[in-house]
Amino acid sequence: MNKGKVYFVGAGPGDVGLITVKGQKAIEKADVILYDRLLNPKLLEAATLDCELIYCGKTPYTNGISQGEINELLVSKAMAGHRVVRLKGGDPAVFGRVGEEAGSLKEQGIPFEVIPGVTSGIAASMYAGVPVTHRDYGRSFAMVTAHDQTKKDIDWNGLVNSMDTVAFYMGVANLPYIRENLINHGKPGNTPALVIQWGTYGRQETVEGTLDDIVERVCERSLGNPAVTLIGDIISLRGKLQWFENKPLYGQRFLVARTGTAKSSLAEALHELGGDIIEFPKWNAAKVKIEESQLLSFLLYDRILFTSPESVHGFLDLLAEYAIDYRRISSELYVLSRKSKKVLQQRGLMAKLKSEMVETGTLLVIGDREQEQNSEYGAEAYFQSIDKFVDERFLEILPGMLDGKEVDTVLFSNQHSVDMLMEYGNKADVDIEALLNQASIGVIGKSTGKRLEDYGFAQDMMPIEPSVEELVALIVNRNVY
């Protein structure tokens, strides 16, 4: 068997938008992905369904999988002919041990590439409002790892006398030691200092002070790793250049209950407003098999009701597969949501909302689930146009996604989203009931609120008009936290 290839990909520090185009493509084409703790797990959603996901995370307090085991995995997977992605938080060449891992591949003659990423010392600093260089405040910048085993090797004289700005990676536990050595080697105690935890995530938290008081301030706020500590006069620009922390939903964490494979417009809107977003469950879809004659018979119904965007795509893709012209659809088309209406419009077809549906004529319901309640629509027939299912690889990933900060708000867009979060959240060994008890809950539509009540919970927010836009506006305009 031919040898495979390994791609060392920098995932960036947290914000999924900071992944490079080349890095994203590598994820999409991977057969195997070995991923670290500090990257955003949402990036893994771009992997194919048959891609093997292997967690290689470590914490400051546990060893986890050893570096030797990681090296062996990279070699064995590549030797088996796989296209392997080693997905690392930040940049693989900035304290990412890419030299050791690539070296083990070189010894075996395995080809590899390194795809750089955005490192946290730069990105987290800028998300906190601090550029790492400025012609008036800082013309030099250093990045230093601050783990216990390396701190004895730090050139403190060089940092104090030659560098205007210094970023210490993962050094919260050693902050007293860092302060002591900087001051002892000549750095003034009033030098500005900034600690940034979970930089570029919506849950980013910052503590600002000076060398004299930064340790005490960090202790008061109970900050820990992952964090970057920034030292230098350039921090004084923070008041003028803050932008991320000024977003209306900055600091708020949302869990959006998903019911489909399409991108969530609700999650995207909240992320753009500065929220820290978790989406769950993760869904995948596969084609269904059908005879052309049966597909053609569906075009004879007077009315067709689509229950989701996926059901629209599935049905129209089947028509295209059999080269059936969309113009042969003489039925009146209806949808349950504006999102489905938009999907149809993008494919050249017009539809009305179910609330506008006439009650006369034969009705076909096209959905994306096996267990549709056809009776509630009064339909003569039901067709599942696509096989949609939960990607259970993400069940073991969810607990890690919930680390670091409690969820402030849980959001449900329909009844099905309530059922799915309850079922698959518990399958992921997450106490969903406890999570809902401590969070605010927002819903779209009265039926969704009623389904939530069936589980013993009450909604805190429900827009008068059942739409994503109105729910987002309600979240922004009301202090529900």
Side-chain angles (χ1 to χ4, degrees):
M1 180 178 291
N2 292 330
K3 292 177 183 176
K5 187 173 182 178
V6 176
Y7 296 80
F8 295 93
V9 177
D15 186 337
V16 292
L18 296 179
I19 185 76
T20 64
V21 173
K22 191 170 184 179
Q24 178 79 8
K25 289 181 178 179
I27 295 170
E28 293 169 356
K29 296 178 180 179
D31 300 314
V32 181
I33 297 177
L34 282 70
Y35 66 98
D36 283 346
R37 179 178 76 97
L38 296 181
L39 60 87
N40 193 326
K42 187 169 177 58
L43 291 170
L44 299 172
E45 294 188 4
T48 60
L49 183 59
D50 57 355
C51 177
E52 182 181 5
L53 305 179
I54 302 175
Y55 179 63
C56 296
K58 303 184 185 76
T59 72
Y61 311 107
T62 62
N63 292 326
I65 185 171
S66 71
Q67 188 60 54
E69 290 172 315
I70 293 173
N71 295 349
E72 290 174 5
L73 273 170
L74 290 171
V75 170
S76 64
K77 295 298 181 181
M79 291 294 283
H82 296 305
R83 186 183 182 101
V84 182
V85 164
R86 177 71 172 103
L87 193 58
K88 294 171 171 285
D91 182 286
V94 180
F95 310 126
R97 307 187 80 163
V98 69
E100 299 169 49
E101 295 177 6
S104 67
L105 300 174
K106 186 71 173 178
E107 290 174 2
Q108 301 296 326
I110 297 171
F112 62 87
E113 286 188 25
V114 180
I115 301 175
V118 182
T119 187
S120 58
I122 296 172
S125 300
M126 197 63 255
Y127 270 57
V130 180
V132 294
T133 63
H134 188 284
R135 63 181 182 177
D136 295 327
Y137 294 89
R139 293 172 178 262
S140 57
F141 169 63
M143 294 180 284
V144 182
T145 182
H147 287 303
D148 283 331
Q149 64 267 34
T150 59
K151 63 187 181 184
K152 63 180 179 296
D153 300 325
I154 295 174
D155 179 6
W156 297 104
N157 277 321
L159 291 179
V160 169
N161 298 317
S162 303
M163 291 293 152
D164 296 317
T165 309
V166 183
F168 291 92
Y169 282 59
M170 304 296 283
V172 173
N174 292 324
L175 199 52
Y177 179 85
I178 292 169
R179 174 176 66 179
E180 176 187 355
N181 277 277
L182 288 175
I183 291 177
N184 287 346
H185 287 80
K187 203 73 169 174
N190 63 356
T191 301
L194 182 69
V195 176
I196 311 157
Q197 184 184 42
W198 291 110
T200 80
Y201 282 93
R203 61 184 181 273
Q204 173 179 302
E205 194 166 350
T206 54
V207 173
E208 187 175 356
T210 65
L211 277 179
D212 282 332
D213 63 13
I214 191 63
V215 172
E216 291 71 26
R217 288 174 180 260
V218 167
C219 287
E220 288 172 5
R221 294 274 292 278
S222 300
L223 260 62
N225 288 320
V228 171
T229 299
L230 205 64
I231 308 293
D233 292 335
I234 204 166
I235 295 168
S236 61
L237 293 172
R238 175 171 148 80
K240 297 178 181 179
L241 300 181
Q242 283 187 59
W243 60 276
F244 183 59
E245 295 173 8
N246 294 335
K247 289 194 171 189
L249 298 181
Y250 165 74
Q252 302 303 322
R253 200 172 201 203
F254 299 86
L255 173 57
V256 177
R258 293 171 71 171
T259 58
T261 59
K263 287 184 178 180
S264 167
S265 57
L266 175 58
E268 287 186 337
L270 296 172
H271 176 73
E272 183 62 28
L273 293 167
D276 188 31
I277 316 300
I278 298 170
E279 296 179 72
F280 184 83
K282 164 70 168 66
W283 294 83
N284 281 308
K287 289 182 180 180
V288 299
K289 294 180 179 180
I290 186 174
E291 296 293 330
E292 183 178 7
S293 58
Q294 185 181 2
L295 193 58
L296 286 169
S297 71
F298 292 151
L299 306 185
L300 302 177
Y301 284 83
D302 299 311
R303 299 170 294 160
I304 297 177
L305 172 65
F306 294 96
T307 66
S308 70
E310 288 92 347
S311 67
V312 173
H313 285 305
F315 184 69
L316 297 183
D317 288 347
L318 285 169
L319 292 180
E321 187 176 326
Y322 283 105
I324 299 172
D325 196 322
Y326 291 176
R327 288 173 292 184
R328 296 183 65 175
I329 303 175
S330 59
S331 316
E332 287 288 333
L333 304 182
Y334 297 93
V335 292
L336 293 185
S337 69
R338 289 180 175 83
K339 192 170 183 179
S340 297
K341 182 178 180 178
K342 185 177 181 181
V343 168
L344 273 166
Q345 188 173 355
Q346 289 171 338
R347 300 191 68 161
L349 296 168
M350 302 304 294
K352 298 178 182 178
L353 293 172
K354 180 181 176 293
S355 59
E356 305 172 80
M357 187 166 69
V358 298
E359 297 302 321
T360 58
T362 55
L363 173 63
L364 168 70
V365 173
I366 297 179
D368 57 23
R369 287 183 281 151
E370 293 181 2
Q371 303 298 323
E372 276 294 337
Q373 299 298 318
N374 303 332
S375 57
E376 70 175 284
Y377 303 119
E380 281 76 17
Y382 173 78
F383 173 56
Q384 182 188 352
S385 67
I386 196 163
D387 181 16
K388 192 173 69 173
F389 53 94
V390 169
D391 188 340
E392 298 202 358
R393 293 175 302 175
F394 286 80
L395 297 184
E396 65 181 36
I397 293 174
L398 178 63
M401 295 174 73
L402 293 170
D403 281 348
K405 186 181 187 299
E406 289 187 345
V407 171
D408 299 293
T409 307
V410 181
L411 300 172
F412 299 99
S413 58
N414 53 44
Q415 298 177 68
H416 188 47
S417 67
V418 179
D419 294 332
M420 292 299 95
L421 182 63
M422 294 295 184
E423 178 181 352
Y424 285 96
N426 288 322
K427 281 186 177 181
D429 291 328
V430 171
D431 190 341
I432 295 298
E433 290 77 11
L435 190 153
L436 290 173
N437 279 325
Q438 61 86 29
S440 295
I441 302 175
V443 302
I444 297 177
K446 293 180 179 179
S447 61
T448 309
K450 177 62 173 65
R451 188 64 182 137
L452 190 66
E453 291 174 2
D454 293 341
Y455 285 95
F457 300 95
Q459 54 85 14
D460 300 292
M461 296 176 290
M462 181 173 67
I464 296 174
E465 180 185 345
S467 70
V468 167
E469 294 78 12
E470 290 300 314
L471 179 58
V472 171
L474 191 58
I475 292 169
V476 172
N477 294 327
R478 287 181 55 187
N479 182 17
V480 297
Y481 310 106

